[in-house]
Amino acid sequence: MRYVSTRGLAPELGFADVLLAGLADDGGLYVPTSWPQLATFGPADDYAAVAAAVMLPYVGDDVPKETFETMCRQAYATFGHPAVTPLVQIGPNEWVLELFHGPTLAFKDVALQLVGRLFDYVLAERGQRVTIVGATSGDTGSAAIDAVKHCDNVDIVILYPNGRTSDVQRRQMTTVDSPNVHAIAVDGTFDDCQDLVKAMFADQAFRLQYQLSAVNSINWARIVAQVVYYVWAARSLGNQPVSFSVPTGNFGNVLAGWIARRSGAPIESLVIGSNTNDILTRFVETRAMVNDGVTPTLSPSMDIAVSSNFERLLFEMNGRDGGMTAEQMNRFRAVGRLDVESDQFDAWIAPVFKAACFDDSQTLATIADVYRRTGMLTEPHTAVGIAAARAKGDPGVPIVTLATAHPAKFPDAVERATGIRPPLPPHLADLFERHERTSLLANDLGAVQAFVAGVSRVAVRR
Ligand SMILES: *Cc1c(COP(=O)(O)O)cnc(C)c1O
């Protein structure tokens, strides 16, 4: 499979190069040149087998089939549930797909556990190393760290704002006992951390010397790994028409649903659940994407002003015209507003996407209601999804909400809504007894670059 950039100017690449590149050279995102139709599965195929079959057309010849199948098997063996992503019924036609049984209790594990193994394989084949740097407000950092903690060819440096993550989030990063893992507490905010990472990537000499790399949510390999569980859930429900409700931030997860549908999965509607940062809900209602900034909510992983993966769908809506997509994205960046034509909207958005937004009090009310009716504890992101499913589901069509985090990741909100503080699962039960290893650094680019230079093994090889 070959990949092109949504902005039309970057070179066409294969899967392994797209994996390592992340963003395209022209500022666009890589998409495959075609959408392969889904393979068919036997009843005996488990999650790892379905995963390999769904993803292989996208991987192409860059990883041998058997090697890739083994990688899938190892990635999903890290999950704490035999079904990997179990489907749980919570109402007559209402389901929850639990994506949070991975090592760090977030749905991002589903993609990142595989992506870490892909990185290690591709780098070993090429005799290369990389230094992954990233900023986190709490959740993505731990999922990225866990994904690469056994990778010989990767060092990872994650910056988090000192004192501004929860204790669980911090400990999930600082207690990982691997020599290639480095969590840095920055004396600053999450935005400061993000600015430091951007400045390191912008410093071309530094970026090349330490082979900086990222595993953020625009990485194509993460998207394709997320297509799998839509196919898996639809199959579990007998491959009849089914809708999905997706608590949405950067549009990566729901885009994966669109790809599953485009590839032949029997998906009726994709419901976008937003918190009060509702740019996508307003888009589905008004045809205009308008950047209104961000306000903090109980579902922080969805506190996003602009959903970067939407560009991939926009490219399709533009008939794969990279020039037009680049022009729209540049105008959007300049004026904070993007309008799509009504015929485009009617062809691409209206038949598939629905959307609804919920504030914190509605989110807490949904957590309480689900608990009262079913005894199940849910956390705020998932609750937004369930509320959206109930508001916008198609009558008579089963709807599956993607549960994106374990309730124990957001214990304060769960306790506020239900009076019950969800315990950590057994593999993390001793998290508060584990030894922490972290470095406190000033909000200073020189200090952070010196740290990266000191720990990166890319330099040692030179
Ligand atoms: C990242 C995240 C989301 C948002 O997913 P996107 O792919 O960015 O839309 C939702 N819920 C949780 C818990 C997350 O960590």
Side-chain angles (χ1 to χ4, degrees), residues 427-445:
H427 77 276
L428 287 171
D430 67 345
L431 186 66
F432 282 83
E433 278 96 70
R434 294 184 197 166
H435 172 67
E436 285 195 83
R437 186 167 59 87
T438 185
S439 306
L440 177 63
L441 293 185
N443 175 19
D444 174 71
L445 182 60

Side-chain angles (χ1 to χ4, degrees), residues 106-108 139 226 247-253 301-302 304 381 404-405:
F107 93 98
K108 293 184 173 71
D139 272 346
Q226 294 175 179
T248 297
N250 251 328
F251 202 74
N253 210 359
S301 299
M302 291 151 61
I304 279 168
H381 305 77
T404 50

Side-chain angles (χ1 to χ4, degrees), residues 105-108 139-140 217 222-223 226 229 246-255 273 280 299-304 307-309 379-382 402-406 409-410:
L105 312 180
F107 93 98
K108 293 184 173 71
D139 272 346
T140 25
S217 75
R222 280 181 63 174
I223 306 286
Q226 294 175 179
Y229 46 72
V246 187
T248 297
N250 251 328
F251 202 74
N253 210 359
V254 71
L255 178 75
L280 289 168
S299 40
S301 299
M302 291 151 61
D303 291 346
I304 279 168
S307 304
S308 39
N309 274 300
E379 55 74 47
H381 305 77
T382 306
L402 303 187
T404 50
H406 191 286
K409 270 212 117 150
F410 297 92

